[in-house]
Amino acid sequence: MDVNGSRGATFDTQNDPNYSTFEEGEAAFINLLRRQKVQPDWTWEQTMRATIKDPQYRALKDPKDRKSAFEKYAVEVRAQEKDRAKERLAKLRADFGTMLRRHPEIKHYTRWKTARPIIEGETIFRSTNDDTERKQLFEEYIIELKKAHIEKEATDRKSAMDDLVYILKGLDLEPYTRWAEADNMIRSDSKFQEDSKFQTLSKSDILTAFENHIKSLERTFNDERQREKNSKVRRERQSRDRFIDILTELKAAGKIKAGTKWMNVHPEIKDDPRFTAMLGQPGSTPLDLFWDVVEEEERALRLVRNDVYDVLEDKRYEITPKTEVKEFISIMSTDRRTAHLPHDTLDLIFARLHEKVVRRSEDDKHASERHQRRAIDALRSKIKHLSSPPVTASTTWESIRPSISHLEEFKALESDDLRKQAFEKVLRRLKEKEDDTGATGKRDHRRPNGHHDSRGSTTGGTGRRDRTPPAELDIYEAERRKAMADRERQYSYKAGSTGLSPPPPSSHRSSERERDRHERLSSRGEGRERERERRHHGRA
């Protein structure tokens, strides 16, 4: 075997081609492979047997260079074949698509088994023998048809939705219109019925367009209402500002100051348009704004009032119910802290101080009277419960006085007139008790043969009530009988099953206790009322 790998072959090396560069020798060797039609799928041994006798085989001296050149050649040939296959397939695809377009009966939903009998007679169909390739080209065409169909549907749907929006704008719809009503209005529209593109819209599409339109109407409605609300708030604020200007003018004129009442200001402003514009609008009322101004004046007055209090305290001057305003102003004019104050301010401060002094004097008087009444009631209770000697209706003040003069309740009262009042209350109630006892005795005397049962009824020997009225009746007899029947029912309830009336004194004691309780409650009620008035004036 020689260096070229041939067995027993000899060559004339004198005729070997010589090339000045390696690239020229490689190009000559590759041309040799092309002339010999060497296929890219051959092995190196096959290629050697086909080309070894050609002088150009030795254009490359090194066997490794020859093999490398062969491999390079095989790669180039494969790439060229692949490019040619792509070009063929591209041309075939274009021709196949043209052929399929000539058959409008082939739709985007047509299957291969349906389309094959239609196109198998075409020349383009027979230009390839690979049925798989034909089916692939057909499927690619169907995909294009489906894509075009989807795009057309989307375009038609968008156009229909846009036109539907114009239809909705032309309808008289309100933000609160319901879907059922709007659906009937849309479907009865002539343009919607005549144009076939609206048939591509589903009911959901129409509902979506309706909802978007209603939302747009709601936004417009809400924006308009918000603008109106803002405008109203702005007008109300401007009205308040103008009314505040009125109050500022009145304040500057001295018509509004601390202690000013609304009834003093109202006649001045009732016909002013700035006041009437405030009436009925929400927010702060004219009265609220008026009291705000008065409160500002009150705060300023409190600062001045503190100076007045300091002057009164420094001069040891006390205001009494009989103090006059001239005397008060003369005192204030002697101190530099209050000498510059206007007389109106001093008059107002004096009026409030004088009112507090008078109120305090009245409260002290009421408290003294209340304390006196309680002391009289305490002495009356002691006199009523005396046991030695007991007080009767015939007891006199001179006889009972020595027996009670040592009591604390007696000493708590300053005069005999007040002590005698307590004694007279006891006598008056004892006499009332005797009158009630006498009335009960007269009732029993009129019915000597009867007795009281548990219900207070009178029965005779036959067991029946005598219903015969007396020959002559007093005009007050009915009222007395009613009062006696009420007392009998009370006595029967307290006596229990015996049917006997309890002794009259107990009823007198209960009535006295009731009167005592009533008087105590009355005095407490008066005290609470005066305390409430004191707290109210204190806050004022």
Side-chain angles (χ1 to χ4, degrees):
M1 181 178 294
D2 62 3
V3 294
N4 293 324
S6 301
R7 289 182 182 272
T10 59
F11 303 96
D12 186 5
T13 59
Q14 294 180 354
N15 295 325
D16 290 344
N18 292 319
Y19 295 97
S20 60
T21 62
F22 175 79
E23 287 76 11
E24 292 178 356
E26 184 181 39
F29 184 79
I30 291 175
N31 288 332
L32 169 65
L33 297 177
R34 287 194 181 96
R35 289 196 310 272
Q36 299 296 330
K37 298 181 180 180
V38 175
Q39 300 300 316
D41 55 346
W42 285 7
T43 62
W44 172 238
E45 287 75 10
Q46 290 178 305
T47 303
M48 288 174 57
R49 285 194 292 271
T51 60
I52 196 171
K53 295 180 180 181
D54 193 295
Q56 296 296 328
Y57 177 81
R58 287 177 289 281
L60 295 175
K61 306 303 181 181
D62 192 343
K64 293 181 180 180
D65 295 336
R66 297 177 191 140
K67 188 173 183 180
S68 298
F70 165 73
E71 292 174 352
K72 183 178 180 180
Y73 164 78
V75 170
E76 290 179 358
V77 171
R78 289 192 188 97
Q80 291 173 1
E81 290 180 352
K82 189 174 182 181
D83 292 340
R84 285 194 295 271
K86 285 182 180 181
E87 291 176 0
R88 184 191 68 82
L89 186 61
K91 184 176 183 307
L92 182 62
R93 181 181 292 109
D95 296 341
F96 213 83
T98 303
M99 175 194 68
L100 292 174
R101 292 187 188 93
R102 291 198 297 268
H103 295 274
E105 65 272 21
I106 298 178
K107 307 294 183 181
H108 64 279
Y109 48 81
T110 304
R111 297 181 179 275
W112 169 248
K113 64 181 180 180
T114 304
R116 194 178 192 284
I118 298 174
I119 61 175
E120 63 184 358
E122 297 282 348
T123 304
I124 301 301
F125 181 84
R126 294 194 299 272
S127 63
T128 177
N129 296 325
D130 191 349
D131 203 53
T132 302
E133 193 174 60
R134 296 168 181 162
K135 185 176 181 181
Q136 178 184 353
L137 295 175
F138 172 78
E139 294 294 341
E140 291 177 357
Y141 176 73
I142 292 299
I143 290 173
E144 292 180 0
L145 290 182
K146 287 181 178 179
K147 185 184 295 185
H149 176 72
I150 292 173
E151 291 176 354
K152 183 176 183 301
E153 280 188 340
T155 303
D156 293 344
R157 181 175 175 276
K158 184 178 182 304
S159 176
M161 291 291 285
D162 293 340
D163 291 345
L164 181 60
V165 170
Y166 287 109
I167 292 176
L168 290 172
K169 290 180 179 180
L171 299 177
D172 189 15
L173 299 181
E174 299 292 341
Y176 46 81
T177 302
R178 296 185 177 275
W179 160 244
E181 181 182 356
D183 186 36
N184 294 331
M185 296 174 66
I186 293 170
R187 296 187 182 279
S188 61
D189 185 80
S190 58
K191 184 177 180 181
F192 184 85
Q193 293 176 350
E194 294 171 359
D195 199 335
S196 60
K197 66 182 176 182
F198 292 110
Q199 303 302 321
T200 61
L201 299 179
S202 64
K203 195 167 186 177
S204 175
D205 295 333
I206 301 174
L207 176 59
T208 301
F210 167 75
E211 289 177 345
N212 294 335
H213 182 66
I214 290 297
K215 288 178 181 178
S216 176
L217 293 179
E218 288 177 348
R219 282 193 299 270
T220 304
F221 177 77
N222 292 333
D223 292 342
E224 181 63 25
R225 186 167 59 178
Q226 186 64 35
R227 282 193 296 270
E228 293 177 356
K229 182 178 179 181
N230 295 338
S231 177
K232 181 181 177 183
V233 171
R234 184 168 57 255
R235 290 194 303 271
E236 292 171 354
R237 185 180 65 252
Q238 292 172 351
S239 298
R240 283 193 296 271
D241 294 340
R242 287 191 290 268
F243 181 73
I244 291 174
D245 293 339
I246 299 179
L247 298 178
T248 304
E249 294 171 3
L250 294 175
K251 177 181 175 182
K255 296 181 179 180
I256 296 180
K257 51 190 176 182
T260 303
K261 304 297 183 184
W262 173 252
M263 61 182 178
N264 304 128
V265 175
H266 182 260
E268 299 283 341
I269 62 174
K270 64 179 181 179
D271 297 326
D272 195 310
R274 294 173 292 180
F275 168 70
T276 56
M278 278 283 294
L279 300 179
Q281 76 175 27
S284 299
T285 63
L287 186 59
D288 295 333
L289 298 176
F290 166 76
W291 285 123
D292 290 342
V293 176
V294 173
E295 180 60 27
E296 291 178 2
E297 292 297 305
E298 289 286 350
R299 284 195 293 268
L301 182 66
R302 280 195 287 270
L303 299 176
V304 177
R305 186 190 58 189
N306 293 335
D307 293 336
V308 172
Y309 286 166
D310 293 340
V311 172
L312 292 176
E313 184 177 357
D314 293 343
K315 294 185 178 296
R316 307 295 184 185
Y317 182 80
E318 183 177 358
I319 297 177
T320 64
K322 296 182 179 180
T323 304
E324 295 183 357
V325 65
K326 294 181 180 179
E327 182 180 355
F328 173 77
I329 293 176
S330 63
I331 295 296
M332 294 297 106
S333 62
T334 59
D335 193 284
R336 60 179 180 81
R337 291 171 290 181
T338 55
H340 65 282
L341 296 178
H343 282 195
D344 293 341
T345 303
L346 293 176
D347 288 343
L348 180 58
I349 295 175
F350 173 77
R352 293 187 178 182
L353 292 176
H354 189 265
E355 182 184 358
K356 289 182 180 180
V357 170
V358 172
R359 192 185 308 118
R360 190 181 304 113
S361 177
E362 292 177 355
D363 291 343
D364 294 342
K365 181 180 178 182
H366 291 317
S368 176
E369 292 175 355
R370 183 170 61 253
H371 177 72
Q372 181 176 292
R373 284 196 302 272
R374 290 178 179 175
I376 292 174
D377 291 340
L379 181 59
R380 180 189 58 78
S381 178
K382 285 290 184 181
I383 295 173
K384 183 178 68 173
H385 294 94
L386 282 177
S387 59
S388 58
V391 179
T392 63
S394 60
T395 304
T396 62
W397 169 247
E398 289 74 11
S399 63
I400 196 65
R401 190 179 189 282
S403 301
I404 61 175
S405 60
H406 65 282
L407 297 175
E408 294 295 334
E409 290 80 0
F410 181 89
K411 297 176 182 179
L413 295 172
E414 298 177 354
S415 65
D416 271 359
D417 292 338
L418 298 176
R419 298 163 186 157
K420 196 171 181 180
Q421 286 182 17
F423 172 70
E424 288 174 353
K425 282 186 178 183
V426 176
L427 287 185
R428 185 167 58 252
R429 291 172 185 173
L430 286 175
K431 289 177 182 179
E432 290 176 358
K433 179 172 63 175
E434 288 181 356
D435 292 342
D436 291 342
T437 304
T440 304
K442 289 179 181 180
R443 182 189 62 205
D444 294 339
H445 180 68
R446 283 197 301 270
R447 292 175 294 183
N449 295 329
H451 65 274
H452 296 284
D453 60 9
S454 60
R455 296 167 301 192
S457 63
T458 304
T459 58
T462 61
R464 293 185 301 174
R465 180 179 299 175
D466 187 3
R467 300 178 182 271
T468 304
E472 296 180 359
L473 289 176
D474 187 2
I475 57 175
Y476 300 108
E477 183 67 22
E479 295 181 2
R480 285 198 294 272
R481 285 186 177 181
K482 183 178 178 181
M484 287 188 292
D486 292 339
R487 284 195 294 272
E488 287 175 359
R489 280 195 296 271
Q490 293 177 2
Y491 298 157
S492 299
Y493 176 76
K494 295 177 180 178
S497 61
T498 61
L500 299 177
S501 300
S506 64
S507 64
H508 289 296
R509 285 195 297 273
S510 63
S511 63
E512 290 175 1
R513 285 195 296 271
E514 185 65 25
R515 282 194 293 270
D516 294 343
R517 179 174 176 273
H518 178 70
E519 290 181 358
R520 288 195 298 273
L521 291 176
S522 298
S523 62
R524 291 177 184 172
E526 293 175 358
R528 283 195 296 270
E529 185 65 25
R530 284 192 293 274
E531 183 65 25
R532 190 179 302 113
E533 293 179 357
R534 185 183 298 109
R535 288 197 298 269
H536 173 72
H537 291 302
R539 288 195 299 270

